[in-house]
Amino acid sequence: MTTRSTGTSGGMTDFNILHGFTEALVRGMRSSFLLDADYHHITQCDNLEDVKLNLTENDYAEAVADLNTLTPSNLQAAAIEKMVTEFKYLRTQAVEPLSTFLDFITYEYMIENVMLLLKGTISGRDINELMAQCHPLGMFRESTMRAIPTFESSPKGYQDLYQTVLVDTPVGPYFSLFLQDSADKAADGHIRNVLEEVEVEIIKSTLIKYWLEDFYQFCESIGGDTFTMMAEILRVRADTNAINITLNSFGTPLNEPSMRVADRKRLYPCIGYLYPAGTQMLIDVADEEGLGRALEFFPQYSGIWNVHSFGGAGDKSIDDAFYERDVQMLELAFEGQMHFGVFYAYVKLKEQEIRNLVW
């Protein structure tokens, strides 16, 4: 796993000396978020050209300037490119342990990209098409990405894929944990069977679990206000994953009694407000009614669950309720000072803003 920080990075003694400039940058970038008035003007637009005209009056002016015709897909690509450029600039200004903290943010996107490429390897999709769908924040060397589909479809081929490609990525340790856990008694070539037989989303959920736990431990080693803020954010993120994993397992083999204990249990992060009592209850949940009863013991989630169980408030889905809760929590990160939570909050709030634009 990642090397732990050896000291506290929150407080008046040295935070501004080491990280004050970078924190000032990200707080300045916060002013680029679209305001309620901007969203109001965009919702009044009759066509995409009117949307483009409105975007030229805010921080997206340069991003859309070179777009001859505005479409949802190229608007999303331009907005993501803008966010990635800003993030990379922050990363160049960062020193330890902030630089490692920012790297942790990118690991989530690396996991998503690698899973996309692995899925493409199994299904035989074109590598250029897959790479175009990869998130820029999770990109690693092009040679590494293009190497994944070049391995032969044989037990030794998939073994070589892990040993020579996945191990060299920053998220390699997470893949190692997953494969070791899934192939304890494996004979030669079982790695290939694991990748083919287990649903890609289950593998992804397992890797995200390892990443969340590792990120949490890293923030704990930093301590100070960074851990206070990030602990809250990561605990809620872990609980959200646990609830979604349980909900999405209904009607699938993962909801069979034997699979709940053997497989679904392993997907629940070992952090969060649900852990350990709540996640133990989720193991025994077999349907939505049972999930609702389990969440009644956790008021912070029972209200969100009611949005789902009663068909949503208006057009609001359970995902919308989670997003709304996350935005409120991430906005609070900017109310404190001398902590790293603002960097994570900026990336996630910018992601939500891009989703709002595309929607």
Side-chain angles (χ1 to χ4, degrees), residues 52 55-56 59-70 75 78:
K52 180 179 179 181
L55 291 177
T56 59
D59 201 56
Y60 285 96
E62 292 186 10
V64 301
D66 296 330
L67 301 179
N68 294 326
T69 303
L70 187 68
L75 172 59

Side-chain angles (χ1 to χ4, degrees), residues 195-262:
L195 292 176
E196 287 184 343
E197 295 173 4
V198 180
E199 290 289 339
V200 171
E201 287 302 316
I202 294 178
I203 304 175
K204 178 181 173 182
S205 296
T206 306
L207 299 177
I208 291 294
K209 167 196 169 179
Y210 292 141
W211 166 73
L212 281 171
E213 293 170 355
D214 198 23
F215 198 3
Y216 184 90
Q217 292 173 14
F218 177 76
C219 293
E220 186 175 24
S221 71
I222 293 176
D225 290 342
T226 292
F227 178 61
T228 301
M229 180 58 63
M230 288 303 300
E232 171 74 12
I233 292 173
L234 294 177
R235 285 169 185 159
V236 171
R237 171 71 186 277
D239 291 343
T240 301
N241 284 8
I243 294 170
N244 281 329
I245 287 168
T246 306
L247 182 60
N248 294 333
S249 71
F250 299 149
T252 71
L254 203 60
N255 196 38
E256 296 176 2
S258 59
M259 298 265 306
R260 291 179 211 153
V261 177

Side-chain angles (χ1 to χ4, degrees), residues 256-269:
E256 296 176 2
S258 59
M259 298 265 306
R260 291 179 211 153
V261 177
D263 293 276
R264 196 170 76 185
K265 176 182 178 181
R266 294 188 303 174
L267 302 180
Y268 297 144

Side-chain angles (χ1 to χ4, degrees), residues 48-123:
L48 290 174
E49 285 303 314
D50 290 344
V51 173
K52 180 179 179 181
L53 183 62
N54 274 276
L55 291 177
T56 59
E57 298 177 359
N58 52 52
D59 201 56
Y60 285 96
E62 292 186 10
V64 301
D66 296 330
L67 301 179
N68 294 326
T69 303
L70 187 68
T71 64
S73 59
N74 64 24
L75 172 59
Q76 182 180 29
I80 290 177
E81 182 181 358
K82 175 180 178 295
M83 181 190 74
V84 170
T85 300
E86 294 169 349
F87 180 86
K88 288 183 176 179
Y89 181 69
L90 291 173
R91 179 62 180 81
T92 61
Q93 303 300 317
V95 298
E96 289 292 351
L98 176 57
S99 55
T100 299
F101 180 92
L102 295 178
D103 289 342
F104 259 106
I105 295 176
T106 67
Y107 293 168
E108 179 183 7
Y109 302 100
M110 290 182 183
I111 291 173
E112 293 176 352
N113 286 352
V114 173
M115 294 315 304
L116 178 63
L117 293 173
L118 284 178
K119 185 177 181 180
T121 300
I122 296 172
S123 61

Side-chain angles (χ1 to χ4, degrees), residues 6 21 31 50 58 65 131 168 177 268 286 288 322 334 343:
T6 57
F21 176 67
S31 64
D50 290 344
N58 52 52
M131 288 182 62
D168 289 335
L177 286 173
Y268 297 144
E288 292 193 9
F322 278 132
F334 285 94
F343 297 93

Side-chain angles (χ1 to χ4, degrees), residues 5 44 52 55 60 93 124 147 176 182 235 269 280 302-303 325:
S5 173
Q44 302 303 310
K52 180 179 179 181
L55 291 177
Y60 285 96
Q93 303 300 317
S176 177
S182 301
R235 285 169 185 159
Q280 185 62 42
S302 60
R325 185 274 321 275

Side-chain angles (χ1 to χ4, degrees), residues 136-163:
L137 272 185
M139 299 291 278
F140 26 81
R141 289 180 305 176
E142 183 176 351
S143 60
T144 300
M145 300 185 73
R146 291 189 176 276
I148 292 178
T150 63
F151 290 85
E152 62 180 17
S153 296
S154 67
K156 188 175 185 307
Y158 279 89
Q159 206 166 32
D160 291 342
L161 167 64
Y162 170 70
Q163 293 173 351

